[in-house]
Amino acid sequence: MIIQLVLVIVLLTEFSIAYSGIWKNESSKFTRNSSLTYITNDRLLKANGSWFGTSAQYSWNLSYSPYTVLCPSTSLIREANNELCAEEKNYVYERNKITSDAILELLSRNSLPGFNHKRFLSSQERPIKIAIAISGGGYRSMLIGAGMLSAFDIRNPASAKVLGGVLQASTYIGGISGGSWLVMSNLVNDFKPILSLDTFKMWDVEHQLLEGVPNFDPKTFQDKIQIQSSDGDCSKISQLESSKEYESTSFFKSLFNIFKKSSTNSDKAAAIKNQGVTKKTNKEDKEANSMIDKFLKSIFIKGTNSTNKTPIQKGSDQDSIKRVFEYYKELQIEVRDKRKAGFHISLTDYWGRALARRIFTNSARTPGATMTASTKLESFKSFQQPFPIICTVEKDPRFIESNLDSHLYEFTPYEFGSWDSYLRAFIPIKFLGTKLTNGKSTLRIGNSNMSKCISGFDNVGFLTGTSSSLFNHIFVYVYQLLMNIKSDTSLAIEKILKPFGLSSEFNSLVDPQLHPDYALYSPNPFYGYTNRENRGRSVSENKHLYLVDGGDDGQNIPFQPFLVSAREVDLIIALDVTADMFNYPNGTTLKRIKERYHNNASTIELPSFTLPERQEPKRGGYNFTGATTVKYAFPKVPTREQMIAQHLNERPIFLGCDLYDDYPDMTHNGDFRNFTTTTNSSQNSTRPASDPFFSKNDFLPPLIVFYSNGNYGYNANTSTFQLSYTKEETAAMIANGYNVATYSNSAYYAVCFSCAVLKRAFDRSNLNRSTPSQISHLPSPSICRRCFNDFCWKG
C-alpha cells in the first residue's frame, strides 16, 4: 500500500507548490503573472470565455484565475445607510410585477371565504414581499429544501392545487451552508424546475461529494469511541449541547484525542523498549491503532459509500487510489491558475470546485463561472427568479466571537458586504479581489488617473463553498490527526495533503494569521474604509478577510438579510434542517438567533421597529397614549423544551403574529442608538421618535412561517456528512421536503398559509389610519382568525 501511495505522490509532484511560498511579496502581486492583461468593463463577461448552452448569448470564463479590468473613477465602496444598491432595487421592482400576479393567483386557489382579496390588495400602496430562507445541513438541507421549492413551484403539476405558486410569488431566496447549495444551484441552473433537475441529472449526488471520502455519521461514532480519562477510567463521550459546529468538530476532536492518546502511549512503549525493558501493548492501544488504520483507509483508499457491503476485491486498492487522486489532481490543476496569478488560495477553493461538479449543470461547472456572469442567464434577466442571497461569517483568527457579536456578511448577484453596524458597507461583487484602500484601487495605470480592478474572483463555486466551509474542518482535523501519529501511512498522506495548504510549515508562514480552513478573501476589499458610525470590531485594519461557514456561529438560518428594513420583507418562509437531536432540529438555531437579536448589551446595532404605544383595546379599535414603543425586530421564539413538549417541531408554526405581544421591548441601557427608528428606504428619511402615529413608510418586521424537518413519510435525518445519495434516497428526501412544506398536502393549511401571506398587510392597514386619537380596527377574515389561533405560537 505504501508503494501505491508513493506512486500517487509522484503523480502530484507536477503541481505541488509549497503553500508557504505563495504571495510573500504583496507588492509584486499583479506582476508575477505576465500573462495578466486588463480589459474594459464591456468585455468583462467575455474574457477567456466559452459559449454557454445553445443560445450563445453570453459566456462563462474558462479559467479559474481572476483577471484585470478598468476601474470606475468613483469609490467602489457603497455605504449601506439602509439603502439597497440600484441594481437590486431595480430587480426587485421588476420582480414584484411578477410576484403580485402570482400572489393573486395563489389567493384565488386557496381563497378565504367571505373575503375579497383582489379588492384588499388593490388598496395596498406597496406589494407584498416574501422571502424563503433555507438552513444549513449539507445534502440533507439541499434535498429537503428542493422538496419545499418543488411544493411551491406552480410548474410542478402536483403542486397546483395546494401551495404551487409560492415560489413565483417570492421576491427573495436565501441560504446558508447546505441551503446555499440549493440557492446557488437554482441560480446557475437557470431556475429549472426541481423535477427537471432530477430528470436531466443536472445534480450528480450519486457520486461521492468528496471523492474517496465515505459517508459517515459522526454521532454514530460518538456512541462507540471511548476516551481514556486522566484517572484511567473510560467513559463515553458526553452528549454535548448541539450546535452548528458540534456535528463536525466535536467528532473530529474526539477522534483526534483518542489517536493522540494512542500515539503518546506508543512513544512511551518505544522509550521503555529502548531502555532494555519489554512491555506488552495493552488491548486499548491495539484497538486504537486498528481504528486509525481503518479510518485512514476509509478516507484515502476505499473511495466507496460506507454503507456499501460489497467487499473490496484483491488488487483494487491501486485503482481506487488512482481514481481518487486523479480527481484531486483535477481540482488542483483548476485552482492553481488562481495561485499562479498571485492570489492566496485555501481549502475553500478546492471545496468549491468539488461542489461545482455535483450541484451545477455541466456548463456551469466551468472553472471560470462567476456570480456576475450568472446575471446574464435568461431567467435572471427576465426576473423569473427570486433574488438570491447566501450568507457567511467573517472571523479574525486572533479573536473569539460568539453568536452575540459575530460578523454576518452576504453575497448577492451584485454586492458583497454587511448591513451590521461594524461595517455597513458593500462592494460590487464583480470587483472582489481588487486591492483597495478606502474604496479606491491602488493599482494605478502609469501616471494617468486610471486604475486597474480585478474581476473573476466571484467564482460561483468559491462563493458557495465559502457559505458551506464547515467541511473544511474534515481536512484540518485529519491533518492534526496525521501530525500526531507516527506511521508510514500518516507521513505519506501528510505529503499528499501538503499541496492543499496543510503541512508542518503552516506555523512558519510569514503571516501567522493565514489558515487554510478559512475562505480567504485577499486583499480585504474594506481595507482602510472609514465610517464614523461604525460599531464593534473593525475590519478595516486587516489586509485579509477570513470567512467561514454561514452557520458557524450557530445561527443556521439566514434571517439576517430579511430583517433589513430596506428590503421591506413581509413574510419569511424559514426551513430548519439543522442536525440538533437525532439529526432533526429541536429549536437550537432559533435560540441562538434570539440570543443575538434580543441582546440589550450588544455592541452591534440591532434591527428594531417602532409602534404607537397603546392602551387596552376598545370597541371599534385601539386607544393610543401619544407615545411610541421601540421593539426588537426578531420575535419571541419557543425554547427547545417547548419545541419538543408541544410538538412544535412536527408542524409549521407562525412566529411574530402579534406585533405588540410577540416582540420584546427594546431597552436602551443608556445607548441612544436603540431609539433610532427605520422607514422605507425609498423615502430616505426617518420619522421622529416623538411622532406617535404609524406611517405607511414605517418598517414592520416580517412574520415568520417556520418549518422543522421531520419524518413526513421518510426518515430524513441523514447525516450532514452523508456525501452521496442513491436515486431512491434522493427521491424520498425531496418527497419528504414536499410534505414538510405542504403539511402533508393539507388543504386547510394551504388556506392558513394564505392568511400568513396577508398578515402584515392586515397589520399595516390596521395601523395606518389618519385619525390621531384612535385607529379603527379592520378585522381579518374569520378563517384567518381560526388559522392564527391554530398556527401562531404564543410565547
Side-chain angles (χ1 to χ4, degrees), residues 608-664:
S608 62
F609 70 107
T610 301
L611 288 175
E613 197 171 279
R614 70 178 182 178
Q615 294 176 337
E616 290 299 317
K618 306 292 184 181
R619 179 177 297 178
Y622 292 113
N623 282 340
F624 289 82
T625 65
T628 58
T629 179
V630 182
K631 291 179 172 289
Y632 292 110
F634 191 76
K636 299 174 184 176
V637 298
T639 64
R640 288 171 295 188
E641 292 74 20
Q642 290 171 323
M643 287 287 288
I644 302 302
Q646 300 174 23
H647 305 285
L648 302 177
N649 59 339
E650 298 176 9
R651 62 184 180 90
I653 58 175
F654 300 168
L655 301 174
C657 291
D658 192 308
L659 289 170
Y660 283 92
D661 294 339
D662 291 347
Y663 293 84

Side-chain angles (χ1 to χ4, degrees), residues 646-694:
Q646 300 174 23
H647 305 285
L648 302 177
N649 59 339
E650 298 176 9
R651 62 184 180 90
I653 58 175
F654 300 168
L655 301 174
C657 291
D658 192 308
L659 289 170
Y660 283 92
D661 294 339
D662 291 347
Y663 293 84
D665 292 341
M666 176 179 276
T667 57
H668 61 89
N669 288 340
D671 190 343
F672 191 75
R673 76 169 187 269
N674 292 331
F675 287 103
T676 301
T677 57
T678 52
T679 66
N680 183 332
S681 60
S682 64
Q683 302 299 311
N684 197 27
S685 63
T686 301
R687 179 173 60 82
S690 60
D691 182 357
F693 311 118
F694 186 80

Side-chain angles (χ1 to χ4, degrees), residues 64-81:
Y64 189 72
S65 171
Y67 50 91
T68 57
V69 297
L70 293 177
C71 269
S73 58
T74 57
S75 173
L76 294 183
I77 292 181
R78 179 182 72 85
E79 294 185 12
N81 294 334

Side-chain angles (χ1 to χ4, degrees), residues 52 118 227 309 312 316 384 419 565 657 694:
F52 169 76
K118 292 183 179 180
I227 299 179
K309 298 182 179 181
I312 299 177
S316 65
Q384 297 299 313
W419 294 95
S565 60
C657 291
F694 186 80

Side-chain angles (χ1 to χ4, degrees), residues 44-46 50 52 57-61 67 187-188 368-378 380-381 413-414 429-430 456 458-460:
L44 186 147
L45 299 177
K46 301 294 184 180
S50 63
F52 169 76
Q57 294 179 2
Y58 74 99
S59 61
W60 299 118
N61 295 327
Y67 50 91
L187 171 65
V188 303
T370 63
M371 181 78 99
T372 300
S374 298
T375 63
K376 301 302 179 181
L377 287 160
E378 190 58 39
F380 194 88
K381 290 194 301 179
Y414 298 116
I429 199 166
K430 64 184 177 182
D458 59 324
N459 182 277
V460 288

Side-chain angles (χ1 to χ4, degrees), residues 432-544:
L432 267 181
T434 303
K435 191 172 184 180
L436 305 174
T437 298
N438 198 19
K440 290 294 188 75
S441 173
T442 62
L443 305 172
R444 311 302 297 179
I445 300 177
N447 296 324
S448 69
N449 293 326
M450 302 174 67
S451 59
K452 292 182 287 186
C453 277
I454 295 297
S455 282
F457 195 95
D458 59 324
N459 182 277
V460 288
F462 184 56
L463 301 189
T464 308
T466 297
S467 182
S468 60
S469 55
L470 160 73
F471 287 80
N472 290 352
H473 292 301
I474 297 177
F475 294 103
V476 173
Y477 284 106
V478 168
Y479 167 68
Q480 290 180 337
L481 178 155
L482 294 171
M483 288 295 293
N484 286 271
I485 300 172
K486 303 295 188 285
S487 72
D488 291 340
T489 304
S490 63
L491 292 176
I493 296 174
E494 180 193 346
K495 292 181 180 179
I496 293 170
L497 292 177
K498 183 176 179 179
F500 294 88
L502 296 172
S503 78
S504 57
E505 298 172 9
F506 165 74
N507 293 323
S508 63
L509 291 176
V510 173
D511 187 348
Q513 295 185 55
L514 291 177
H515 289 266
D517 55 325
Y518 287 58
L520 186 56
Y521 284 68
S522 182
N524 174 13
F526 303 107
Y527 179 72
Y529 173 65
T530 55
N531 186 331
R532 289 178 298 177
E533 298 183 2
N534 285 0
R535 301 175 185 272
R537 172 176 63 81
S538 173
V539 300
S540 63
E541 298 177 358
N542 299 335
K543 293 184 178 181
H544 317 289

